[in-house]
Amino acid sequence: MSSRGWGESGGGDPPRLQGDSSSRSKAKSRTTSLQPGSASEHVAASSAAAVETGLEFGKVDGEAHAPVPLHLARHQQAVVGGLDLDPKRSGVEIQKSKSERDIQGKKKKKKRSMAVAARVVEEDPDVVEMMKRRDDDEEEVVGEAWDYKGRGAIRGSTGGWRSAAMILCVELNERLTTLGVAVNLVTYLTGTMHLGSAASANAVTNFLGTSFMLCLLGGFLADTYLGRYLTIAIFTAVQAAGMAVLTISTAAPGLRPPPCSSGGSGCAAANGTQLGVLYLGLYMTALGTGGLKSSVSGFGSDQFDESDGGERGSMARFFSWFFFFISMGSLLAVTALVYVQDKVGRRWGYGICVVAILTGLLFFLAGTTTYRFKKLLGSPLTQIAAVTAAAWTNRNLPLPSDPSMLNHDDSAHTTAKPNQKLPHSKQFRFLDHAAIVETTTAEAKKRKRWAACCTVTEVEEVKQLVRMLPTWATTILFWTVYAQMTTFSVSQAAVMDRRLSTSFVIPAGSLTVFFVAAILLTVPLYDRLLAPLVRRLTANPRYDLSPLHRIFVGLLLAALAMVAAALTERARRDAAVTLSVFYLLPQFLLVGAGEAFTYIGQLDFFLRECPKGMKTMSTGLFLSTLSLGFFFSTALVTVVHKVTAESRRPWLADNLDEGRLDNFYWLLGGISVVNLAVFVAAAARGYVYREKRLADAGIIHNQR
């Protein structure tokens, strides 16, 4: 099977199966071959009607006989021809009806055919059982889903929680690896590789930013070429290879600079080869992380059928469990894994990651026969580029006064993509030029290729993405604040009193356990305490924070966290004694609670508001905010360090006691307040959710 046959949709259309639109004509030809030449016109007419109802005339000893089911007739024909017809190996593509009337009709038809079959072939009960099993399977085929062989996916034997559990194992190990490397990397770069504080912080944020930015590449490959299944499998292997290189880098003595002298003045920095091997391992890991993270949540949701009420509820619970497994991976990373790195050896910690990734990959591959696959829909980036180019090409053409004169013919693309027809809106009128249809001039013929692919629905889908951009842009800064918890906050913890007892010292990187604990506590506290309280106070039993409300709370908590971090750093620097590391708890708890609100709010917002045919794009937009937040942290640290380096007390000194890290936190806090105001004014105020706009237009909303 080609690589496309394994992807989310198997790459291209699945193999052509029996039982499609040509089945009736084939059945008629078989019927004719089975009719005796002496059959009457009445028998011939009855045969044609029987074909339409799933029955076929057979013959016994050369004489026309009562109608029997098509399955039996095919079986008889195969026996006469000396063929071995195995019903398990004969693929049948079923077009499952979603209406109750069709289902009831199929059940009645099944009973009639079984009754006839029982009368005709009482001596062959195996055939009857074969037909019953086949008919049962026909009623349980999931629409728009395929199994690993390209056949219609059977509900009872594919998808569901069994398949989702295999996928969650991959995400657990991905989070364990990525955060296990990032959260403790600063101490390794400064203490072992002898890099400066600012350079080490930038190395961490660049690693995380690259990981999430590569999600866009992974999403493009999954949508266009590989499918989600192959994308996850390939990039998980790449991540394992990257961690293997990191393990070698930390284990081989020649790939690390010699330790500092006893006085601490003779610290030789790592050379180019040593840093090159280290960065090779880091960015191979980042490539693997980005590729598999782009597809793992979407492939998990593919295991549940949105058209089925029970499975739709399971899909909602899947996202809750998905976030739970992310948090559990983070918790293991900042506790057990960091402890192993600091107390046993970093090579052992990274080696555990390699074993964990490979174990998760084996679990994932073991579930291959149970997964449901979807068709490749192509990258939404192609549609965005087409609409933008068409609008620019037609920019000099006048827009029609009546929007109904634009191209509303969605028949050309709705068969390939499950787009939901959208009404025309008055916003961003420039993009409406892409839907202008004009075929009377020579110039118009040159534009025909673009105009033909740009309908009002396609234009409105791009408009919807434009409406989401203010929210996308203003959530970037939260992840810049988040980045400080894995860089400078860890540096703060390293110079504070981390003793729990005379024999146990908390690793500096493990302090982020409070950050993860805040995430795990915030979600149930909100669902069980805060939300019910607000519902009682407002007398609205359905009240819940909207996605934008959640994002607002997260951004507010991020600003407060930077204020707390600045006050703590000033107290630490001015204190006469070494302060306890627990003084850092407020900033970790505030950012952790903020992530719970922001992460869930962003995920819900982008999944809810993105057009139906752009599911992967929604995930890419969300994850790109993380990437840009980390890159913005790198840029901000670089600028601040360069500007303040020549001052008497640089803000980001290698020795925190000689710097003014609190000023950097104050700067981030001020930027966060401004960003929060922009979010309220430009993104949240006046935003109309997509569901409400469709309801106001009288269009039934069937996506959620």
Side-chain angles (χ1 to χ4, degrees):
M1 183 177 290
S2 66
S3 62
R4 293 192 175 187
W6 286 82
E8 173 183 352
S9 57
D13 293 336
R16 188 69 174 177
L17 306 174
Q18 296 179 8
D20 59 10
S21 60
S22 62
S23 295
R24 292 183 176 178
S25 61
K26 293 179 180 178
K28 291 181 180 179
S29 65
R30 295 192 190 100
T31 304
T32 303
S33 66
L34 291 173
Q35 301 302 321
S38 60
S40 64
E41 294 180 359
H42 173 72
V43 173
S46 300
S47 174
V51 169
E52 295 298 325
T53 58
L55 302 176
E56 189 168 289
F57 272 77
K59 55 181 183 175
V60 178
D61 298 330
E63 298 295 333
H65 202 275
V68 296
L70 279 174
H71 309 321
L72 179 59
R74 292 173 182 169
H75 177 76
Q76 292 173 338
Q77 184 181 8
V79 171
V80 172
L83 302 176
D84 179 17
L85 180 59
D86 185 353
K88 294 182 179 179
R89 291 197 299 269
S90 62
V92 179
E93 179 181 4
I94 308 300
Q95 297 297 330
K96 180 183 175 184
S97 172
K98 295 182 181 180
S99 67
E100 291 295 332
R101 183 171 56 189
D102 288 345
I103 293 176
Q104 293 298 326
K106 290 172 67 178
K107 290 182 178 179
K108 293 179 181 179
K109 175 180 171 182
K110 170 182 152 185
K111 291 179 180 179
R112 292 196 302 267
S113 63
M114 292 300 300
V116 174
R119 290 196 302 268
V120 176
V121 287
E122 291 179 352
E123 71 282 0
D124 194 355
D126 291 337
V127 176
V128 178
E129 180 62 25
M130 174 197 74
M131 294 168 57
K132 180 179 179 181
R133 189 166 58 245
R134 178 169 176 169
D135 286 337
D136 288 340
D137 287 349
E138 288 182 3
E139 293 181 0
E140 294 298 328
V141 172
V142 180
E144 299 181 357
W146 311 91
D147 67 8
Y148 74 108
K149 289 187 176 180
R151 304 169 301 191
I154 306 301
R155 189 180 304 280
S157 59
T158 62
W161 282 110
R162 176 179 56 178
S163 301
M166 304 289 188
I167 300 169
L168 289 174
C169 288
V170 176
E171 178 57 28
L172 173 69
N173 293 320
E174 179 276 321
R175 189 66 168 180
L176 171 71
T177 299
T178 303
L179 196 60
V181 171
V183 76
N184 208 29
L185 186 59
V186 166
T187 59
Y188 180 73
L189 294 176
T190 56
T192 302
M193 305 301 285
H194 307 150
L195 299 182
S197 177
S200 299
N202 285 346
V204 175
T205 52
N206 287 338
F207 165 69
L208 291 173
T210 303
S211 298
F212 290 108
M213 183 60 72
L214 288 172
C215 290
L216 296 176
L217 173 63
F220 175 79
L221 293 176
D223 283 344
T224 310
Y225 299 107
L226 299 177
R228 289 174 180 164
Y229 171 86
L230 269 183
T231 301
I232 294 172
I234 291 173
F235 284 97
T236 300
V238 172
Q239 188 186 44
M243 286 306 303
V245 174
L246 271 181
T247 304
I248 295 173
S249 173
T250 57
L255 295 178
R256 304 190 308 273
C260 297
S261 60
S262 58
S265 57
C267 295
N271 58 39
T273 301
Q274 293 166 343
L275 289 177
V277 175
L278 175 67
Y279 288 145
L280 174 64
L282 280 176
Y283 286 101
M284 283 183 65
T285 303
L287 176 61
T289 299
L292 74 92
K293 202 169 187 66
S294 67
S295 300
V296 67
S297 61
F299 191 57
S301 66
D302 287 343
Q303 307 312 307
F304 303 96
D305 182 13
E306 287 185 281
S307 64
D308 180 82
E311 292 200 18
R312 185 166 58 248
S314 297
M315 183 188 296
R317 292 194 298 274
F318 168 78
F319 284 113
S320 298
W321 280 104
F322 183 77
F323 186 71
F324 176 80
F325 270 75
I326 287 177
S327 301
M328 287 302 300
S330 302
L331 186 62
L332 290 173
V334 302
T335 54
L337 192 59
V338 170
Y339 183 83
V340 170
Q341 291 175 7
D342 285 357
K343 300 301 181 181
V344 181
R346 193 168 294 264
R347 61 183 181 274
W348 292 104
Y350 289 168
I352 290 174
C353 290
V354 176
V355 174
I357 296 169
L358 293 177
T359 301
L361 179 59
L362 291 177
F363 271 101
F364 178 75
L365 295 177
T368 299
T369 58
T370 69
Y371 294 141
R372 294 175 187 170
F373 302 90
K374 300 293 182 69
K375 287 186 177 181
L376 296 179
L377 301 177
S379 174
L381 296 176
T382 305
Q383 177 181 334
I384 296 172
V387 170
T388 304
W392 177 258
T393 302
N394 298 341
R395 66 188 182 279
N396 295 324
L397 296 178
L399 288 172
S401 57
D402 186 359
S404 63
M405 298 176 65
L406 296 172
N407 183 14
H408 287 268
D409 183 13
D410 295 307
S411 60
H413 74 279
T414 52
T415 56
K417 293 177 63 177
N419 299 48
Q420 182 182 56
K421 190 170 184 178
L422 301 178
H424 177 265
S425 64
K426 295 181 180 180
Q427 289 180 294
F428 314 118
R429 293 293 305 276
F430 172 77
L431 293 175
D432 287 342
H433 287 84
I436 295 176
V437 179
E438 188 179 46
T439 59
T440 58
T441 64
E443 186 66 23
K445 292 181 180 179
K446 296 180 181 180
R447 295 189 292 266
K448 185 176 180 181
R449 180 170 61 89
W450 290 107
C453 71
C454 297
T455 65
V456 169
T457 293
E458 290 176 320
V459 172
E460 290 300 322
E461 287 179 338
V462 176
K463 285 185 180 182
Q464 180 59 26
L465 292 178
V466 176
R467 293 187 189 98
M468 298 165 62
L469 289 180
T471 301
W472 171 82
T474 50
T475 53
I476 291 174
L477 193 67
F478 175 85
W479 301 106
T480 300
V481 173
Y482 174 96
Q484 311 317 311
M485 299 301 104
T486 61
T487 54
F488 291 117
S489 292
V490 175
S491 298
Q492 286 178 282
V495 296
M496 299 178 76
D497 184 4
R498 294 177 280 115
R499 292 176 297 176
L500 280 182
S501 65
T502 56
S503 60
F504 184 79
V505 178
I506 303 174
S510 291
L511 198 67
T512 49
V513 67
F514 299 106
F515 171 78
V516 178
I519 298 173
L520 294 175
L521 290 175
T522 300
V523 175
L525 285 176
Y526 170 78
D527 288 338
R528 300 298 180 181
L529 296 178
L530 182 59
L533 177 62
V534 174
R535 294 187 188 112
R536 284 196 296 268
L537 293 176
T538 59
N540 183 358
R542 294 188 176 183
Y543 177 82
D544 195 6
L545 287 179
S546 68
L548 292 178
H549 286 151
R550 290 175 184 264
I551 293 173
F552 172 82
V553 174
L555 294 178
L556 177 62
L557 292 176
L560 294 176
M562 288 297 94
V563 173
L567 294 175
T568 301
E569 173 60 16
R570 176 174 294 181
R572 184 205 65 80
R573 190 185 64 245
D574 297 340
V577 296
T578 303
L579 294 182
S580 170
V581 74
F582 292 104
Y583 276 85
L584 296 177
L585 281 185
Q587 64 202 65
F588 279 102
L589 294 177
L590 286 170
V591 174
E595 185 190 1
F597 282 101
T598 303
Y599 190 100
I600 296 176
Q602 280 186 282
L603 188 61
D604 191 10
F605 177 79
F606 287 113
L607 286 175
R608 175 188 294 187
E609 296 301 297
C610 255
K612 188 174 182 180
M614 298 185 176
K615 188 175 183 179
T616 305
M617 171 63 76
S618 65
T619 305
L621 282 174
F622 164 50
L623 294 176
S624 68
T625 63
L626 281 73
S627 173
L628 294 175
F630 291 126
F631 283 135
F632 182 70
S633 176
T634 298
L636 188 63
V637 167
T638 301
V639 171
V640 168
H641 184 64
K642 184 175 182 179
V643 171
T644 64
E646 303 301 327
S647 62
R648 185 173 61 88
R649 297 196 67 174
W651 288 12
L652 305 176
D654 293 340
N655 186 340
L656 292 184
D657 293 333
E658 299 175 357
R660 293 297 304 271
L661 181 60
D662 56 321
N663 285 349
F664 179 74
Y665 284 145
W666 283 119
L667 174 64
L668 260 182
I671 297 175
S672 297
V673 171
V674 174
N675 180 74
L676 182 61
V678 174
F679 170 79
V680 172
R685 179 176 296 176
Y687 185 87
V688 180
Y689 285 99
R690 177 171 173 266
E691 184 174 359
K692 185 178 185 304
R693 288 189 293 103
L694 292 178
D696 292 342
I699 297 178
I700 298 176
H701 185 60
N702 57 15
Q703 181 177 350
R704 290 177 61 88

